[in-house]
Amino acid sequence: MSKINDYLEKNYIKFPNDIGLIYRENEIYKEITNSEIYEFVNSLVAKLNGKYKDVAIIGNNKLEWIISFWAVFGYVGDVIAIDKELDKDNILEIFDLEKPDLVIIDDEINVKFEQYECMYFSQVNEMMKEKTDSVLNDRHSGNLYLHTSGTTGTQKLVKLDEKNLFGVIPELNKKWEVTHKDTCLFIIPLYHIYALTTMFHSMYAGVTIILETDYKRMESVLKET
């Protein structure tokens, strides 16, 4: 069983009305419950499942990024997590290493990938809100491809499976001792392995995830959430 499915389903069943995610839309911080998260993921899976195997996600810490990641990695296929600061040529070099069937991209990123099928965050948002039921494949187990140039400057992709990613999570929980009553602020971009590992742990422990993209907002995000 996918760990993503395991974590999402556990929080949906045990804490359906708890706030699972806080994100910023323009200037306003918005909250969604674990039940709403499960519905959003479910709806996106219904649109993507069976159509794509490798999906690249380009963007930052926004609602659409994290819902897309959970939907694809948990139920649909493999995720290629792309640093949004890379230029088009570098991204195309990565795509030469692992060609995506679909590129999910933030509308604010002014880059076009004409040779690839693209889906923008605004489209993802509309799909999420349709709340379409799907038959979730809890037997799916995705892979994650993380970009690195290492010390050589040569583009590389590191392939991580669920065993690589989730083996450390129970040990982290013993160290951090957090529960569903706690919150975690994510301001490090989610395409970094540290942020992703912390995200997986937050899901495991039922911690409320707070998404932010702008370090200059640190004071306000701490006050407002």
Side-chain angles (χ1 to χ4, degrees):
M1 175 184 290
S2 161
K3 290 292 186 182
I4 295 289
N5 177 79
D6 190 19
Y7 297 167
L8 288 175
E9 193 171 77
K10 179 196 69 178
N11 292 327
Y12 169 63
I13 293 171
K14 293 181 68 174
F15 314 112
N17 298 316
D18 281 12
I19 301 303
L21 187 64
I22 299 173
Y23 65 99
R24 179 166 56 83
E25 189 173 285
N26 298 318
E27 301 301 313
I28 306 298
Y29 289 99
K30 296 189 174 183
E31 301 175 345
I32 57 175
T33 64
N34 287 320
S35 180
E36 290 172 311
I37 289 172
Y38 196 74
E39 289 177 352
F40 286 163
V41 171
N42 197 338
S43 297
L44 191 56
V45 170
K47 300 293 184 181
L48 301 180
N49 206 15
K51 299 178 183 178
Y52 307 103
K53 182 179 181 295
D54 291 331
V55 179
I57 305 177
I58 309 175
N60 211 329
N61 299 12
K62 294 184 178 181
L63 172 66
E64 294 82 5
W65 196 103
I66 201 165
I67 297 295
S68 296
F69 181 89
W70 287 338
V72 175
F73 190 54
Y75 305 97
V76 174
D78 297 339
V79 171
I80 308 167
I82 302 292
D83 184 339
K84 76 178 188 68
E85 302 298 333
L86 293 176
D87 61 31
K88 182 176 181 179
D89 288 343
N90 283 332
I91 294 174
L92 288 175
E93 287 180 17
I94 294 171
F95 289 172
D96 286 340
L97 299 173
E98 189 70 29
K99 183 177 179 180
D101 305 305
L102 175 69
V103 179
I104 298 178
I105 186 169
D106 192 331
D107 299 64
E108 295 179 4
I109 298 175
N110 189 26
V111 178
K112 305 294 182 184
F113 297 97
E114 296 83 1
Q115 62 272 59
Y116 295 96
E117 182 178 350
C118 292
M119 179 183 294
Y120 292 90
F121 278 11
S122 56
Q123 295 171 280
V124 170
N125 195 279
E126 290 300 316
M127 291 178 182
M128 286 161 35
K129 291 176 179 177
E130 290 180 9
K131 295 186 178 180
T132 307
D133 288 333
S134 61
V135 178
L136 294 179
N137 177 14
D138 60 8
R139 293 183 300 277
H140 172 74
S141 181
N143 295 302
L144 174 64
Y145 292 88
L146 287 182
H147 162 257
T148 177
S149 60
T151 57
T152 64
T154 302
Q155 306 292 344
K156 292 186 285 290
L157 284 176
V158 177
K159 182 179 178 180
L160 300 170
D161 60 23
E162 287 205 354
K163 183 178 180 180
N164 301 135
L165 291 165
F166 293 103
V168 71
I169 301 302
E171 293 303 315
L172 280 180
N173 202 50
K174 292 177 184 177
K175 299 289 186 182
W176 290 352
E177 297 182 337
V178 294
T179 73
H180 69 102
K181 296 181 180 180
D182 294 301
T183 60
C184 182
L185 170 61
F186 288 78
I187 204 161
I188 299 173
L190 285 168
Y191 44 77
H192 289 300
I193 187 59
Y194 177 76
L196 285 167
T197 304
T198 307
M199 179 190 74
F200 296 141
H201 173 262
S202 295
M203 297 173 70
Y204 173 88
V207 170
T208 299
I209 293 172
I210 305 171
L211 297 180
E212 181 50 77
T213 62
D214 185 354
Y215 285 92
K216 295 178 181 177
R217 292 179 178 268
M218 181 70 80
E219 184 176 356
S220 64
V221 71
L222 291 174
K223 286 181 179 178
E224 294 179 39
T225 64

